[in-house]
Amino acid sequence: MILHGAVFTLWMAVIVTQTQLIAARKHEVHMRLGKLAFLLAILMIPVMYLTAVWQVARANQPPFTDPLTWTIVPLAVIIPFAILIWNGWNKRRDVQTHKRLMLSAAIVSVMGPAIARLPLAPPTVVGFTILLLLGLMLFVPLILWDRKTIGAVHPATKLGFSMAALTIAVPLAVYWLNLPWAKIAGHLPGVSA
Amino acid sequence: MATVVASGADRKSSERKFYSRMALFLVFLVLLGFGPSFYLKGVVPPTPGPIPVFRQQ
């Protein structure tokens, strides 16, 4: 999974570079890099999927779950991430919408994997739930920023928050409602338990 | 008029700072979260978070 780490590290580097290019008023370079960034984001989708299904064989899950059920956590990110990236690309000429959607996509790709690795809660379903909700709090600065600058929450922020909420609502539903996701996951292409 | 232009420039400047800082904060979180299991594997001890550290077979 070195590839997964490398691709996501590159993605984070691109996010920072893009914001720095705008801060330096290098809009042309930002737009050219944006095309490559969009291709990178598309590449990330199969990488996300493969990371999710290949971890079954490695049994790389926390003690409160099993490998097949655990696939729902990374898989639940894929569609919301794709929706944000696609909308961000389509709205690239609408600056205010574009930057909120891209920041939201960055938050969605980071909030679960990075925050859930922080040693802030025990490795239990409750601890995992707390960390996922903590990740959702990354939207608070953006919501406050919207209220301060435009007096309301921007529709793109609402979409970003909704997508982020979806990435945590789906796995939490599986764990808290004991949904039989493992039976479905067992049939996913690439899964080899 | 000068005031309007200045406040517009200030707003753009604060906006650039906001998005830059948010991006840097996300990178900080990634380094913090993935440091023990990926970036600094073998350098710092693994953390006992809900997601186990990255294991290679």
Side-chain angles (χ1 to χ4, degrees), chain A residues 2-64:
Chain A
I2 295 295
L3 172 70
H4 174 236
V7 168
F8 276 77
T9 301
L10 188 59
W11 167 247
M12 289 315 299
V14 165
I15 293 291
V16 171
T17 305
Q18 288 291 65
T19 57
Q20 297 305 312
L21 285 171
I22 289 298
R25 296 177 174 80
K26 294 182 177 172
H27 297 93
E28 282 296 321
V29 185
H30 172 87
M31 286 192 284
R32 268 183 275 156
L33 181 60
K35 289 175 186 168
L36 293 175
F38 183 61
L39 294 177
L40 175 66
I42 292 172
L43 171 69
M44 285 169 66
I45 291 170
V47 171
M48 283 178 180
Y49 177 81
L50 292 175
T51 303
V53 295
W54 286 350
Q55 63 85 27
V56 173
R58 296 199 317 271
N60 195 27
Q61 80 286 346
F64 60 81

Side-chain angles (χ1 to χ4, degrees), chain A residues 9 16 25 59 62 96 99, chain B residues 15-16 19 27 39 47 50 55:
Chain A
T9 301
V16 171
R25 296 177 174 80
Q96 292 303 323
K99 56 179 63 174
Chain B
E15 192 168 276
R16 286 171 182 141
Y19 285 99
V27 169
Y39 298 110
T47 53
R55 292 198 295 263

Side-chain angles (χ1 to χ4, degrees), chain A residues 122-143:
Chain A
T124 60
V125 175
V126 174
F128 181 60
T129 303
I130 291 169
L131 289 179
L132 287 186
L133 292 172
L134 193 63
L136 205 55
M137 294 296 106
L138 287 171
F139 275 90
V140 169
L142 183 57
I143 290 168

Side-chain angles (χ1 to χ4, degrees), chain A residues 139-157:
Chain A
F139 275 90
V140 169
L142 183 57
I143 290 168
L144 293 176
W145 172 258
D146 280 0
R147 292 183 68 85
K148 180 185 166 190
T149 55
I150 59 174
V153 180
H154 194 281
T157 303

Side-chain angles (χ1 to χ4, degrees), chain A residues 86-188:
Chain A
W86 181 250
N87 278 282
W89 173 256
N90 278 335
K91 297 284 184 183
R92 61 193 181 279
R93 306 283 176 197
D94 177 350
V95 176
Q96 292 303 323
T97 299
H98 172 74
K99 56 179 63 174
R100 285 171 172 84
L101 290 172
M102 297 316 294
L103 178 60
S104 298
I107 292 174
V108 161
S109 63
V110 162
M111 57 183 245
I115 292 183
R117 279 175 166 80
L118 299 177
L120 301 174
T124 60
V125 175
V126 174
F128 181 60
T129 303
I130 291 169
L131 289 179
L132 287 186
L133 292 172
L134 193 63
L136 205 55
M137 294 296 106
L138 287 171
F139 275 90
V140 169
L142 183 57
I143 290 168
L144 293 176
W145 172 258
D146 280 0
R147 292 183 68 85
K148 180 185 166 190
T149 55
I150 59 174
V153 180
H154 194 281
T157 303
K158 287 181 185 172
L159 177 62
F161 182 83
S162 305
M163 291 297 105
L166 195 61
T167 67
I168 70 168
V170 172
L172 290 182
V174 168
Y175 284 109
W176 286 98
L177 304 175
N178 288 318
L179 301 179
W181 170 253
K183 287 179 186 170
I184 300 168
H187 298 288
L188 291 174

